[in-house]
Structure formats: structure tokens, C-alpha cells
Amino acid sequence: MSNRKAALLTIIVVATISWAVSIIRMKGMDMGIATDLGSFGSFMTTWIIMTSAMMLPGATSAVLRFANSSDSVFKIFLFIGTYLIMWSLLGFAIYIFYRPHGSFYAGVIVIVAGIYELIPQKKIFRKCCFQNIRSGFRFGLYCIGSCIGLMLIQVGLGLMSLKWMLVIAVLALIQKLLPVRDSIDTPIALIIVGFGMLIIITPPAIWEPPHPKWLFIECSPQCKVFNYQYSPPASPEYNPPNTSGFVKTNVLYHRSPDSIKRVLFWPVVGT
């Protein structure tokens, strides 16, 4: 098998598996702007799989250019691996600084993302992605510089959202395949800025899809019931116990995926 075929096959297999695992793993984890990242290990596992699915297809051209001049398949694997390591470092930074936030901050983040799409440095990074780069670390740096604005949109609106994951992946792929064109890129950036403004001035119910309501039971000696406003990280089938005597409140409460075994969830109908 030639180096080009090995490189292409690796990207197809890894990206396909990563998308499949992301769909399974992230199901029910989208809590929109209130998303909690959970434990470090859980988040980083999800992040690595997610970025492999989103960013490997767009790196195909660069990997194939590297494969043309590479004398071994191992170096190709090393190029891909170091490229993904750079994205993992970004995930580490996000985990440190990220906090659940309100719609105002979500709108601000999206506006900043749109403005970044307009600055010259963004175009420089994007053009660098089309060069013959011999280092996966260096290509990863250029790719992050090119896509950081788009990734901010997902951070602001739903870091564990499959919907935004798909939208950002498609936009990133288009930018990796097409050269810089102000006639296309500028309107897209302005749309992103306008969307951010819309988020700030409108209620979340207009721009954020409704989440199913869930009844939350904390398994403790003194059980409490909450009217849960967002989907939980997982929703195993349980038969609800007798809830007579409990008081429903409007408190927003959620648990990280690693503590899901200590709680029970089930849908609340008609609330």
C-alpha cells in the first residue's frame, strides 16, 4: 500500500470511528450554555474523540502532501498524532478556563468569534494550512489559529452539542478546502457577529432549541426533587418511585457524567 493510500485510509477510519463514538458518547450531554464539563478525564476523552472527528477530514490535503514526500508510514502516523496532540492542548486550556455561562456571555463569545474571522492573522493562519508543512505540531498550530474563532462558537453555545459540532466541522472543512476569499468569508463573519448580537437581545427560547424537562432525584438520605430544565448527561430507564410529598422547585441542577450512577432521571410529562 502506498503512503498516500495509507494516509487516506487512516483519516477515513479514524474520523468515521470518532464520529460514531461522539454520537453515542455525547447523546444527552448537551445542556447548551449551562453545559458542565464534568471530570477532567471524562472531558478530555470526549474532546480528543470530538476533535478527531471534526478536524481530521479538513487535514486530509496537508496529510497527503506530507505523505507524498514521506519515506515511511510511521512518519505519517506521527504527523497525524502530533497534529491531534495540539488540539488536545487546546482542550486542556478550555477545561481550565471554561465555566457555564448565561446568554449574554454566550452572545459576547460568538461576537468575538465573528470578529476574529475578519482579522488579518486569521487569514495568515488559514493560508499557512495550504503550505507543505513537515511538522504535525506546526500544522496543528496553524489549524488552531485558523479555526479558533469557529471553536469559540461551540464553546459559547454548547461545548457538548452534536448540532454545533456538525456545524463547526462543516465550516472548518470548507475553509480547509477553499482558498481565502473575502467575498465569501466576510459575509459569513458578519453573519456570526449578527447572530451573537441576536443572542444577547433575544430570550434563549428563541435561538436555543427547547430541552426536555427532567425530574431529578438525588439518592441521599434526604431525597430532594428538582424540576430539571436541561437534558442530563445520560438517561437510563428507571421506574420512578413514589414522589408524593416531594416539592418541585425551579432550581437548575446537574451532575457531571462521572457521577451519573448516584442519581436517577426520568422525563416529566406535562410540566
Side-chain angles (χ1 to χ4, degrees):
M1 182 182 295
S2 67
N3 287 348
R4 282 180 61 89
K5 289 182 179 180
L8 185 60
L9 181 62
T10 299
I11 291 175
I12 292 174
V13 171
V14 174
T16 301
I17 294 176
S18 296
W19 272 108
V21 174
S22 294
I23 291 172
I24 296 172
R25 185 178 179 85
M26 296 171 64
K27 185 178 182 181
M29 292 179 68
D30 179 18
M31 292 181 283
I33 58 179
T35 295
D36 183 86
L37 302 186
S39 67
F40 176 74
S42 175
F43 169 74
M44 287 303 298
T45 300
T46 303
W47 173 265
I48 291 170
I49 296 172
M50 181 176 69
T51 50
S52 296
M54 296 173 66
M55 298 303 168
L56 266 183
T60 301
S61 297
V63 174
L64 292 180
R65 287 194 297 268
F66 178 82
N68 288 335
S69 57
S70 177
D71 56 0
S72 71
V73 176
F74 173 77
K75 290 183 179 180
I76 298 174
F77 293 159
L78 185 62
F79 183 91
I80 296 174
T82 51
Y83 168 70
L84 294 177
I85 286 175
M86 292 300 295
W87 280 105
S88 300
L89 294 176
L90 177 63
F92 177 76
I94 289 175
Y95 186 83
I96 293 175
F97 295 105
Y98 176 87
R99 297 292 183 275
H101 46 273
S103 58
F104 174 80
Y105 290 105
V108 171
I109 291 171
V110 173
I111 290 173
V112 171
I115 294 174
Y116 182 82
E117 294 294 300
L118 295 170
I119 67 174
Q121 194 61 42
K122 151 77 179 191
K123 298 178 182 179
I124 294 174
F125 280 127
R126 188 173 166 188
K127 290 177 180 178
C128 289
C129 293
F130 290 91
Q131 298 175 356
N132 291 322
I133 303 172
R134 306 297 303 166
S135 167
F137 286 118
R138 186 179 175 188
F139 177 66
L141 178 63
Y142 290 152
C143 189
I144 291 174
S146 175
C147 299
I148 190 66
L150 299 178
M151 292 303 294
L152 278 176
I153 298 174
Q154 187 170 356
V155 170
L157 301 182
L159 196 50
M160 294 299 167
S161 168
L162 284 170
K163 173 193 66 178
W164 288 113
M165 175 182 170
L166 178 61
V167 170
I168 301 307
V170 170
L171 289 175
L173 178 61
I174 292 174
Q175 290 190 352
K176 291 294 187 300
L177 296 177
L178 299 179
V180 177
R181 292 180 181 176
D182 290 337
S183 59
I184 298 176
D185 300 333
T186 300
I188 292 177
L190 293 177
I191 290 173
I192 294 173
V193 172
F195 182 49
M197 293 179 178
L198 183 66
I199 292 172
I200 292 176
I201 64 177
T202 58
I206 294 179
W207 55 267
E208 187 178 47
H211 296 270
K213 293 182 179 180
W214 294 81
L215 190 63
F216 172 84
I217 300 292
E218 184 178 7
C219 299
S220 61
Q222 296 179 342
C223 241
K224 297 179 181 179
V225 181
F226 297 93
N227 186 11
Y228 200 91
Q229 299 297 321
Y230 291 89
S231 300
S235 55
E237 295 296 331
Y238 289 103
N239 293 322
N242 183 10
T243 58
S244 60
F246 289 127
V247 178
K248 294 182 181 180
T249 71
N250 292 322
V251 177
L252 178 63
Y253 195 92
H254 64 272
R255 290 281 188 174
S256 58
D258 59 333
S259 63
I260 196 67
K261 293 181 181 179
R262 297 199 295 271
V263 298
L264 303 178
F265 293 98
W266 61 85
V268 175
V269 180
T271 60

